[in-house]
Amino acid sequence: MKHLTSRRWLAGATAALIAASIAPAHAGTRNLHERLQKATRYLAMNQEDDGSISGGFSRLGTTSDAILAFASEMRGKPQVRDAMGWLEEHVEDATTLGLKAKLVLAAVAVGRDPRSFGGRDLVQEIMDTHDPETGQYGGESDTEVGYHALAMLAVMAGREDPPESASRWLRDAQCDDGGWQFDEPAGPNDDEHCFDSTAENDFSRSDTNTTAYADMAFEGSPGPDPKVDPISFLRTARDDYKKGFVYDPHGKCTEETLGEQFCYLTDANSTGLVLQAMLGEVKAKEFVRYRDALMKLQYPRCGKWMGAFAFTWIYD
């Protein structure tokens, strides 16, 4: 059986902290330990009395992400204990494939058994959503590409091999530019970026977050490789101005758009996830350059924001 042996799958909204913690130790790590301490301290200071951590789209998801951050830095044992207790008490609220996958990753990260978590076997629940005919995880409701990739990561974290059909489905869902969009697989009317100009409600294109999840899902899983090297797509999302990565490479700033409202610069979540996907795929010097761009988004001084990562840059 092949399984992920690295921590590349520790992904989430706190990816900024995690990616920093797995940076090559020999490559420009000045003040890195202090930065990581401040980041974990910020999370601890913002933990609720019940153990959860609010923010993001879901308290379950945000709390799971925070646990990954604590685990990556091997700090915050009391905070992890309280957060895991809260997750167990609210495991019934994990009704989507994505949330179940995040709970599995959090449990495995701190040495807990995701097959007996709050009275549920979350790994088996995810595996039960696999459609043997199509290869997709999610059943009829959770059909998003991003959730499928997270499901593959969770299954591998639970020490199971996803079926080869799961890798084939993800391979076929890839956009021609080498990326993946979150909501749907590549369709017959899509351009190379998975954008369908004939559809009124197609607002998604290939993005860095989904592509990073998909790339990590292919590592250690059986089945075919991606049709196009995902790293080639991720490189197109590099921000020439702040030196990190943006969610939508088609909306990144250019000389003509720099300073406009919908011009996207480096953001912490995308850069963290891309760094994880690129771990081992790029030279140390290049990795550190992107990591340093990420670290520049951290609030270094004292005050309530000390240690936090700003989502992105803003214009004065």
Side-chain angles (χ1 to χ4, degrees), residues 250-263:
H250 318 292
K252 69 178 182 179
C253 296
T254 65
E255 290 287 350
E256 292 74 25
T257 62
L258 188 63
E260 292 185 2
Q261 181 179 2
F262 297 108
C263 162

Side-chain angles (χ1 to χ4, degrees), residues 1 24 56-57 120 122 133 175 189 221 238 248 281:
M1 297 175 71
F57 297 106
R120 290 170 61 176
L122 294 171
E133 293 187 8
C175 308
N189 295 324
S221 64
R238 290 182 296 194
D248 179 2
E281 300 289 336

Side-chain angles (χ1 to χ4, degrees), residues 147-160:
Y147 287 166
H148 176 90
L150 272 172
M152 289 180 64
L153 290 170
V155 168
M156 286 186 283
R159 302 199 63 78
E160 297 286 349

Side-chain angles (χ1 to χ4, degrees), residues 248-288:
D248 179 2
H250 318 292
K252 69 178 182 179
C253 296
T254 65
E255 290 287 350
E256 292 74 25
T257 62
L258 188 63
E260 292 185 2
Q261 181 179 2
F262 297 108
C263 162
Y264 300 120
L265 293 168
T266 293
D267 72 75
N269 193 58
S270 298
T271 303
L273 286 168
V274 170
L275 280 169
Q276 289 179 87
M278 284 187 165
L279 186 64
E281 300 289 336
V282 297
K283 294 181 179 179
K285 184 180 294 186
E286 183 180 3
F287 187 96
V288 169

Side-chain angles (χ1 to χ4, degrees), residues 128-163:
D128 287 344
T129 71
H130 180 258
D131 185 335
E133 293 187 8
T134 66
Q136 185 182 15
Y137 285 104
E140 296 181 358
S141 56
D142 293 330
T143 59
E144 290 83 358
V145 175
Y147 287 166
H148 176 90
L150 272 172
M152 289 180 64
L153 290 170
V155 168
M156 286 186 283
R159 302 199 63 78
E160 297 286 349
D161 280 329

Side-chain angles (χ1 to χ4, degrees), residues 74-131:
M74 294 182 288
R75 296 175 62 85
K77 288 184 179 180
Q79 289 77 22
V80 168
R81 180 196 62 225
D82 294 344
M84 291 299 292
W86 184 86
L87 288 178
E88 283 196 286
E89 291 176 3
H90 294 81
V91 69
E92 293 303 320
D93 295 332
T95 57
T96 67
L97 183 65
L99 287 176
K100 291 177 184 179
K102 286 203 169 190
L103 288 180
V104 169
L105 296 177
V108 172
V110 296
R112 296 287 299 276
D113 183 3
R115 287 187 170 276
S116 181
F117 189 79
R120 290 170 61 176
D121 184 343
L122 294 171
V123 176
Q124 189 61 51
E125 289 182 25
I126 292 172
M127 293 170 63
D128 287 344
T129 71
H130 180 258
D131 185 335

